[in-house]
Amino acid sequence: MNTKVVKINRIQPNPGAIYEAGLIIKNGGLVAFPTETVYGLGGDAFNSSSSKKIYEAKGRPSDNPLIVHIANITDIDAVATDIPSIAYELAAKYWPGPLTMILKKRPELPKETTGGLDTVAVRMPVNEVALDLITAAGGFVAAPSANRSGKPSPTLAQYVIEDMYGFVDMIIDGGDCEIGLESTIIDLTSSPAMILRPGYITFEELKEMIPDIVFDGTILDASSEEAPKAPGMKYRHYAPKAEMILVTGPTENVIAYINEKATRGRENGQNIGVIATDETQYLYVAPSIKTLGSRNNEKQIAKNLFRILREFDDEDTDIIYAESFEEKGVFRATMNRMIKASGNKEVRV
Ligand code: AMP
Ligand code: MG
């Protein structure tokens, strides 16, 4: 398949290209596009063959549902039914933005889009290119993250091109994703409401509006034997090519442990990488040390994770040792992705 790559952003809007991208989706094709969270791989949510194409392009199991992206809050009624009032309250507060709601799906929406479930995931992004594209495509764009299944989500167009060139009709390069981490998913069909995937909008924030909100206990507990409620959370995810080990403990212990492993690795001819923070990056001795940002800036740390994992892929790193974070606020989402990226390999020191 020929893939067209176009650059569109706020400074270089390109209505012609948006129109063309919208037409591709309307005609059953696929377009990768920027959102504020990560790049999405979009198709017409009401076209079952488009959804099938998305699963193929990603290499994703078809029981793992897609998120339906809309461009107007009121369009929620076209994909979902029996919508509780809290959904409208959440939409008023957090949309457009990085919150995905699980609601009962309308029968008109094909089961292929929802991975066979009778619920639907809906989100209205804030990114302008995404909103323009959704509108040009008819209003309902089913889109998972635009990476090959299992790889870190793309936060820059170059990684979308790496994974999706030849598999999609068009890739829109809109620069880097402001948030860089996927949306928070909240299930409003269960009682009490449940967070299925932690994200940029935190448990603490949502609790203010929904005091009895709970977490799907399987998502942060690596040893849980129960299947997570969001089907996607059960698959190996976000994985770099290298083996990744998360190191948890007092800072001095973490640094000492990683430095010892890096020294040993060098003796064995291994290419060792370290995921550090601004506060610690100069204290490591290893061939490749990358900082996620300052521990005082949880949003910056969340934003940099996927990019850094991809950079280690490009450096042919053998083992990545990563610092870990306290599970609160946005760090909870970062930790969730890091635990998955490491395939649950965590050492306590
Ligand atoms: P991605 O688009 O790559 O961020 O993946 C979408 C995520 O939303 C996956 O983890 C899905 O399992 C989850 N998801 C989508 N629809 C539903 C649904 N109806 N119920 C539960 N989880 C969902
Ligand atoms: Mg994904």
Side-chain angles (χ1 to χ4, degrees):
M1 184 190 286
N2 280 334
T3 302
K4 188 169 178 177
V5 180
V6 290
K7 263 200 170 79
I8 311 180
N9 53 51
R10 237 173 287 155
I11 302 145
Q12 300 166 275
N14 189 339
I18 289 283
Y19 176 80
E20 189 187 342
L23 215 53
I24 289 171
I25 291 180
K26 278 182 174 167
N27 291 331
L30 303 184
V31 176
F33 63 101
T35 80
E36 70 278 16
T37 57
V38 301
Y39 273 82
L41 173 59
D44 180 357
F46 280 97
N47 182 341
S48 57
S49 92
S50 298
S51 294
K52 282 188 197 148
K53 280 189 200 166
I54 292 176
Y55 293 116
E56 272 166 31
K58 268 190 79 100
R60 174 174 190 155
S62 58
D63 67 344
N64 186 2
L66 312 174
I67 294 174
V68 178
H69 291 72
I70 57 176
N72 300 289
I73 291 186
T74 46
D75 286 343
I76 193 174
D77 296 284
V79 289
T81 179
D82 298 340
I83 304 171
S85 57
I86 187 69
Y88 294 105
E89 290 163 30
L90 286 167
K93 177 148 187 204
Y94 292 109
W95 281 3
L99 182 73
T100 297
M101 297 191 235
I102 308 289
L103 298 163
K104 194 162 166 217
K105 95 171 185 61
R106 271 195 177 278
E108 303 87 284
L109 194 70
K111 283 246 174 181
E112 284 77 5
T113 300
T114 61
L117 299 177
D118 55 14
T119 53
V120 57
V122 201
R123 176 168 106 82
M124 178 179 169
V126 69
N127 180 292
E128 283 167 31
V129 175
L131 289 171
D132 289 348
L133 172 68
I134 296 163
T135 303
F140 304 92
V141 173
S145 50
N147 51 283
R148 292 285 297 168
S149 191
K151 291 183 70 172
S153 305
T155 56
L156 288 169
Q158 71 192 76
Y159 301 127
V160 181
I161 294 168
E162 203 175 294
D163 281 19
M164 290 298 156
Y165 197 86
F167 293 96
V168 298
D169 300 285
M170 190 189 266
I171 295 171
I172 299 176
D173 176 351
D176 80 333
C177 300
E178 269 166 56
I179 291 176
L181 186 92
E182 301 92 339
S183 58
T184 306
I185 303 181
I186 177 170
D187 185 356
L188 298 175
T189 66
S190 65
S191 181
M194 188 183 271
I195 294 182
L196 305 189
R197 176 172 73 185
Y200 188 82
I201 294 172
T202 62
F203 174 66
E204 290 83 352
E205 272 174 90
L206 290 168
K207 216 171 157 52
E208 280 175 28
M209 251 168 108
I210 312 174
D212 62 347
I213 192 168
V214 291
F215 246 106
D216 175 0
T218 62
I219 51 188
L220 289 174
D221 178 4
S223 60
S224 171
E225 306 215 323
E226 204 183 315
K229 306 275 185 307
M233 301 303 279
K234 75 177 178 234
Y235 295 108
R236 176 111 203 259
H237 230 126
Y238 319 121
K241 290 179 191 155
E243 180 183 3
M244 176 165 156
I245 295 163
L246 207 51
V247 187
T248 304
T251 311
E252 318 78 69
N253 297 8
V254 169
I255 294 166
Y257 178 87
I258 293 178
N259 279 340
E260 203 230 299
K261 290 287 180 188
T263 308
R264 194 101 47 86
R266 196 176 41 218
E267 286 162 11
N268 297 333
Q270 286 169 321
N271 192 7
I272 304 288
V274 179
I275 298 184
T277 47
D278 285 358
E279 290 77 11
T280 58
Q281 59 173 322
Y282 300 111
L283 304 172
Y284 289 105
V285 187
S288 183
I289 301 151
K290 296 181 192 294
T291 174
L292 287 168
S294 167
R295 280 187 179 266
N296 298 323
N297 189 343
E298 56 179 13
K299 292 180 174 168
Q300 185 190 25
I301 290 203
K303 176 175 176 169
N304 288 326
L305 176 66
F306 287 139
R307 178 180 51 78
I308 283 180
L309 292 177
R310 291 268 181 172
E311 284 174 8
F312 279 124
D313 280 356
D314 295 338
E315 292 176 16
D316 290 321
T317 307
D318 295 305
I319 309 180
I320 302 166
Y321 290 96
E323 290 183 12
S324 65
F325 300 90
E326 195 186 347
E327 284 178 12
K328 64 167 206 211
V330 183
F331 283 145
R332 216 189 297 261
T334 303
M335 274 298 280
N336 166 259
R337 307 309 190 270
M338 290 179 97
I339 289 168
K340 295 231 140 220
S342 70
N344 294 330
K345 282 195 268 335
E346 191 175 4
V347 290
R348 290 181 190 275
V349 292

